[in-house]
């Protein structure tokens, strides 16, 4: 195998922007693991254009029961429209930093894990270690659930998981969930001189948005807050709207999308109820008084569950000791961690690189961060062997 920087250089050279296949990278890694006598397996998407990779380094006695998963996503965000000083898909080391798309988010962690495989095999592990590489994390965490389902089918039951998203090697124990929704307001066209004959979809959308905005203010003031978060309450915001054809036509259609970020202890779907009730008891009756076919459809788009660290003390002690960390950090961005937790695998987020550098032009990771991750993995392996 190779050093962490060798691995990172290879991984960056695969353009695994989420819209592309990640199979070249996955097969390259699978070949290297097979070359070391391991048995990686893949869990593909429905089109078989992308895959998750999972591999187990068994315990010294051959057991694959329990153990800890080291998890990372292989896809990266696009470089479209960004001004890079060097080729984003060629690792470039300057000023003690390694530049390249995905260097920080999060091929740096994957590289460190792959470089540590020989050490994992050489250690007399008491419990197995597992490596999980996913696809399509950056477009809504679509890959990990496919892999988690395959784990169940195969009877694998890891005990813990570390997702190596960039945290500057601090231990993050919780993050918010993300739920996105689309509202389609169906009104009725009319000439703008005949407003009472039409149902103005834009105006009803606006009424609903004002209602959602008032709910957001309630969340900020009435909900139990968690001051460990940057924004210590759940948030709601409308991010897109489209409707209307001409200024002199009452529009029959308006659609908008909104984003709900819930604190881990808040029921993620509870927010839908007051919105639905407002549609059914207030807005739709007004619309249908003019036109019986008018209505508002509310549809859930994506969801990424929150990571709730409140019940995972054992793992926090284990990983906290390895990174010399007593603070339990909580962050605003979402990861696959909530999905692992939902599958019954307690999870923390801990990986090299600063989230500040993620997704940007000239994304980089400090070589010192990679070295810290290497040391973290060495101590983790030693702990699993003890
Ligand atoms: Zn990431």
């Amino acid at each position: 195998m190779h050093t962490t920087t060798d691995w990172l250089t290879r991984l960056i050279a695969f353009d695994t922007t989420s819209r592309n296949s990640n199979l070249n990278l996955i097969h390259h890694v699978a070949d290297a693991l097979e070359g070391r006598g391991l048995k990686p397996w893949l869990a593909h998407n429905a089109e078989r254009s992308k895959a998750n990779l999972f591999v187990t380094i068994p315990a010294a006695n051959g057991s694959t029961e329990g153990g800890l998963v080291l998890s990372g996503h292989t896809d990266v965000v696009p470089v479209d429209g960004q001004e890079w000083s060097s080729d984003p898909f060629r690792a470039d080391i300057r000023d003690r930093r390694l530049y390249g798309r995905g260097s920080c988010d999060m091929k740096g962690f994957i590289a460190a894990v792959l470089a540590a495989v020989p050490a994992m095999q050489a250690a007399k592990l008491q419990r197995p270690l597992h490596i999980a590489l996913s696809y399509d994390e950056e477009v809504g965490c679509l890959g990990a659930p496919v892999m988690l389902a395959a784990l169940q089918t195969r009877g694998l039951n890891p005990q813990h998981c570390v997702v190596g998203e960039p945290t500057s090697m601090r231990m993050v124990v919780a993050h918010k969930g993300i739920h996105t929704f689309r509202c389609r307001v169906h009104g009725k066209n009319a000439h703008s001189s005949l407003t009472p004959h039409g149902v103005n979809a834009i105006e009803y959308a606006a009424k609903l948005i004002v209602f959602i905005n008032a709910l957001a203010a309630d969340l900020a003031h009435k909900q139990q807050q968690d001051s460990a978060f940057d924004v210590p309450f759940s948030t709601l915001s409308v991010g897109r709207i489209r409707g209307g054809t001409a200024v002199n036509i009452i529009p029959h259609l308006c659609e908008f999308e909104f984003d709900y970020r819930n604190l881990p202890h808040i029921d993620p779907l509870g927010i839908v109820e007051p919105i639905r009730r407002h549609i059914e008891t207030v807005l739709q009756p007004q619309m249908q008084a003019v036109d019986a076919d008018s209505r508002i459809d509310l549809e859930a788009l994506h969801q990424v569950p929150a990571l709730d660290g409140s019940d995972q003390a054992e793992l926090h002690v284990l990983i906290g000791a390895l990174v010399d960390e007593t603070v339990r950090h909580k962050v605003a961005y979402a990861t696959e961690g909530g999905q692992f937790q939902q599958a019954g695998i307690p999870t923390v987020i801990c990986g090299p690189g600063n989230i500040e550098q993620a997704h940007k032009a000239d994304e980089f990771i400090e070589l010192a961060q990679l070295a810290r991750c290497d040391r973290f993995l060495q101590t983790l392996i030693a702990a699993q062997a003890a």
Side-chain angles (χ1 to χ4, degrees):
M1 298 290 255
H2 303 269
T3 65
T4 297
T5 35
D6 288 344
W7 262 116
L8 186 49
T9 302
R10 287 151 174 259
L11 295 175
I12 286 173
F14 293 99
D15 177 358
T16 51
T17 306
S18 307
R19 62 180 171 237
N20 299 337
S21 168
N22 73 339
L23 289 178
N24 288 338
L25 181 153
I26 289 291
H27 289 146
H28 182 82
V29 172
D31 286 349
L33 294 168
E34 277 164 7
R36 295 205 52 95
L38 295 168
K39 297 190 181 72
W41 51 269
L42 308 187
H44 289 83
N45 64 350
E47 299 78 37
R48 298 191 71 79
S49 59
K50 298 174 183 179
N52 301 289
L53 179 151
F54 196 91
V55 68
T56 299
I57 295 91
N61 66 3
S63 169
T64 57
E65 284 286 302
L68 185 142
V69 184
L70 296 162
S71 170
H73 62 83
T74 60
D75 62 320
V76 296
V77 294
V79 296
D80 306 345
Q82 295 184 338
E83 292 272 344
W84 281 70
S85 314
S86 56
D87 180 350
F89 299 105
R90 232 182 73 195
D92 189 29
I93 297 178
R94 35 185 214 273
D95 310 325
R96 309 283 307 151
R97 295 167 169 178
L98 190 152
Y99 287 83
R101 172 53 85 224
S103 54
C104 169
D105 186 10
M106 58 177 289
K107 289 176 171 174
F109 178 75
I110 296 174
V113 168
L114 292 174
V117 166
M120 296 176 196
Q121 291 182 290
K124 299 219 166 356
L125 295 176
Q126 297 296 305
R127 296 163 291 282
L129 283 165
H130 313 270
I131 300 169
L133 307 182
S134 67
Y135 63 85
D136 278 357
E137 191 271 350
E138 297 287 6
V139 289
C141 296
L142 307 179
V146 174
M147 175 163 52
L148 289 164
L151 281 185
Q152 266 208 331
T153 314
R154 288 168 177 263
L156 282 160
N157 54 350
Q159 198 187 355
H160 295 304
C161 176
V162 175
V163 174
E165 289 279 353
T167 65
S168 305
M169 293 309 296
R170 294 178 315 178
M171 182 173 62
V172 167
V173 302
H175 62 66
K176 289 184 181 177
I178 306 177
H179 297 259
T180 58
F181 300 88
R182 179 188 295 136
C183 275
R184 275 212 180 89
V185 182
H186 299 270
K188 183 172 183 267
N189 270 148
H191 190 280
S192 61
S193 63
L194 302 170
T195 53
H197 299 200
V199 178
N200 191 317
I202 291 179
E203 291 178 3
Y204 277 99
K207 290 181 194 195
L208 187 51
I209 290 170
V210 168
F211 179 81
I212 289 171
N213 192 242
L215 269 184
D218 277 356
L219 295 177
H221 296 111
K222 294 184 186 156
Q223 210 177 56
Q224 192 195 337
Q225 304 203 348
D226 184 341
S227 59
F229 283 93
D230 229 18
V231 177
F233 43 84
S234 306
T235 57
L236 266 173
S237 67
V238 177
R240 237 159 74 92
I241 185 161
R242 196 175 60 192
T245 45
V247 71
N248 57 357
I249 300 173
I250 306 286
H252 74 285
L253 182 66
C254 181
E255 58 176 47
F256 67 92
E257 289 165 17
F258 64 95
D259 165 295
Y260 175 50
R261 302 202 171 218
N262 64 297
L263 289 174
H265 69 275
I266 302 293
D267 164 24
L269 293 177
I271 197 70
V272 180
E273 281 165 38
I275 297 174
R276 210 179 279 289
R277 211 177 318 123
H278 189 68
I279 291 172
E280 282 166 11
T281 63
V282 179
L283 298 179
Q284 263 179 190
Q286 290 174 12
M287 298 165 75
Q288 289 168 357
V290 178
D291 171 63
D293 294 330
S294 294
R295 65 180 197 282
I296 300 176
D297 298 330
L298 173 60
E299 172 194 3
L301 295 177
H302 284 296
Q303 56 158 314
V304 180
L307 174 65
D308 183 350
S310 59
D311 206 14
Q312 312 198 342
E314 186 195 343
L315 178 60
H316 297 171
V317 170
L318 172 74
I319 301 299
L322 299 183
V323 293
D324 208 8
E325 180 87 272
T326 50
V327 185
R328 272 73 174 129
H329 298 279
K330 301 182 179 184
V331 297
Y333 56 87
T335 75
E336 294 166 337
Q339 295 171 323
F340 275 90
Q341 186 179 41
Q342 256 186 3
I345 307 171
T347 297
V348 295
I349 316 298
C350 183
N354 189 326
I355 193 77
E356 279 289 305
Q357 272 93 52
H359 299 198
K360 289 187 181 155
D362 289 342
E363 176 180 348
F364 68 84
I365 189 161
E366 289 175 0
L367 297 180
Q369 281 287 311
L370 291 175
R372 274 187 68 181
C373 187
D374 289 338
R375 283 199 300 279
F376 166 74
L377 291 169
Q378 284 159 18
T379 33
L380 176 69
I381 293 164
Q384 297 296 302

